[in-house]
Amino acid sequence: MVADSRYSPSARRRRLSALLRRMREDRNLKIESVNKQLGWSSGKLSRMERNEWKLPSVRDMKDLAEVYKLPDEMRDAIVSLASESRLRGWWIDFKDVLRGGLADFETGASMIRTYEALLIPGLLQTPEYAAAVLRGSRVLSDDDIERKVAGRLKRQEILAAEAAPSVWAVIDEAALRKRVGGSKVMADQIRHLIAIAERPNIDIQVLRDEAGSHAAMEGAFMILDFPDPADLPLVYIEAATEDLYLEQPEAIQNYVGIFGHICSSAESPEASVRYLESLI
């Protein structure tokens, strides 16, 4: 079964992992003890609690419910989460070009806060700009680039969805002055930013060079918030070879603070649009 376009199985799996850990700890049970009672391998439950699984088993949830002596309501809750976690999202068709689970988490997010130092955020890129960025790697074929651009455009469909997330993007001036793809491609990209900034769910701020040093000098990041309070915020950091997801409350709070500081250092949304117009 395929999930609808605003559904995030990854968020369900993450929530289920946290719930399983909390239920075990509330009962003062050791991981080894639970594994032994169920005849599981030594690392199985710890992997489940660390969200290191792909398809949670409904059978496993029913077995845990017996060990934890869960009331029917809680038993049904974890069984339901396991079932929902097994649904296929649209991004499955692009798993060859969409790294990690970012597209999945974006789909279920209620707010996305992003800072980019050298690039236009992927959710706000034009096809031509995206292709030029990918072409700059000098390792991708034309077919690969076309496929990756298609995946990026598919990600952007959440911005016009019925329950579209709020997007708050702070873009460094350096990213706007790089003539990625040439003057025409870059001018069209800036026009796209101006147009999309008119949407009620999108705010764009430009962090000018004259602001000097700022709180996000170490690089780009994204903060994702989710509509259900049971799903804690998530920080995403992209690197050349792997993606990093931060879930610790202290780390999340740190990045929320950093984002607040750079918003204060950046131009207001209105002044940012005027600056974008001046670049064209």
Side-chain angles (χ1 to χ4, degrees):
M1 183 180 296
V2 179
D4 66 54
S5 60
R6 293 291 293 128
Y7 187 93
S8 174
S10 291
R12 298 296 195 279
R13 287 192 292 273
R14 182 171 174 248
R15 187 192 309 176
L16 180 57
S17 293
L19 182 58
L20 293 181
R21 181 173 63 253
R22 187 165 64 249
M23 289 191 303
R24 178 184 56 77
E25 292 174 346
D26 287 347
R27 288 159 178 77
N28 294 315
L29 293 172
K30 299 293 185 181
I31 288 179
E32 296 81 3
S33 173
V34 176
N35 282 328
K36 186 175 181 179
Q37 288 187 61
L38 293 172
W40 289 354
S41 62
S42 60
K44 181 170 179 176
L45 183 56
S46 61
R47 290 193 296 272
M48 293 163 68
E49 292 186 0
R50 292 196 304 265
N51 193 21
E52 295 177 356
W53 51 7
K54 293 184 178 180
L55 292 176
S57 164
V58 170
R59 179 70 262 170
D60 287 346
M61 296 306 103
K62 292 179 179 178
D63 290 342
L64 282 172
E66 292 295 325
V67 173
Y68 295 161
K69 296 180 172 56
L70 298 181
D72 290 344
E73 180 179 343
M74 286 303 300
R75 174 187 176 279
D76 293 344
I78 62 173
V79 167
S80 178
L81 281 173
S83 297
E84 293 168 356
S85 298
R86 297 176 64 87
L87 297 180
R88 296 175 70 254
W90 64 262
W91 49 89
I92 293 297
D93 293 333
F94 288 89
K95 64 181 180 180
D96 57 320
V97 293
L98 293 178
R99 273 187 359 201
L102 178 61
D104 190 350
F105 285 120
E106 286 175 337
T107 295
S110 57
M111 174 181 283
I112 298 172
R113 287 170 282 184
T114 181
Y115 166 69
E116 283 287 356
L118 300 175
L119 294 170
I120 306 302
L123 288 174
L124 307 181
Q125 293 178 3
T126 64
E128 295 77 16
Y129 177 93
V133 169
L134 295 167
R135 199 171 292 116
S137 70
R138 303 185 184 279
V139 297
L140 297 173
S141 68
D142 289 342
D143 288 344
D144 289 337
I145 290 173
E146 183 178 354
R147 178 78 172 148
K148 283 180 173 289
V149 170
R152 193 159 300 182
L153 295 179
K154 189 67 177 177
R155 279 175 55 201
Q156 295 177 6
E157 290 183 5
I158 63 169
L159 301 180
E162 184 175 348
S166 298
V167 175
W168 192 349
V170 178
I171 306 173
D172 197 283
E173 182 177 355
L176 296 163
R177 289 194 170 277
K178 290 184 182 300
R179 298 192 180 188
V180 175
S183 296
K184 182 181 186 308
V185 169
M186 199 64 208
D188 288 344
Q189 173 63 73
I190 293 173
R191 290 189 184 95
H192 177 66
L193 291 177
I194 294 170
I196 205 170
E198 295 181 359
R199 298 187 186 183
N201 62 314
I202 297 179
D203 287 301
I204 296 174
Q205 290 184 258
V206 176
L207 187 56
R208 298 289 303 277
D209 289 345
E210 62 196 41
S213 61
H214 54 80
M217 296 290 285
E218 293 186 358
F221 63 92
M222 179 186 292
I223 307 170
L224 299 103
D225 293 280
F226 303 93
D228 195 311
D231 298 323
L232 298 179
L234 187 68
V235 172
Y236 169 79
I237 301 173
E238 182 178 359
T241 57
E242 62 180 347
D243 299 328
L244 178 63
Y245 293 92
L246 304 179
E247 302 184 68
Q248 302 86 350
E250 297 81 5
I252 293 169
Q253 190 59 40
N254 184 43
Y255 276 94
V256 168
I258 290 173
F259 193 82
H261 283 301
I262 60 174
C263 287
S264 298
S265 300
E267 300 291 318
S268 69
E270 296 78 15
S272 295
V273 169
R274 292 194 294 270
Y275 171 72
L276 291 172
E277 291 171 341
S278 74
L279 286 181
I280 295 176

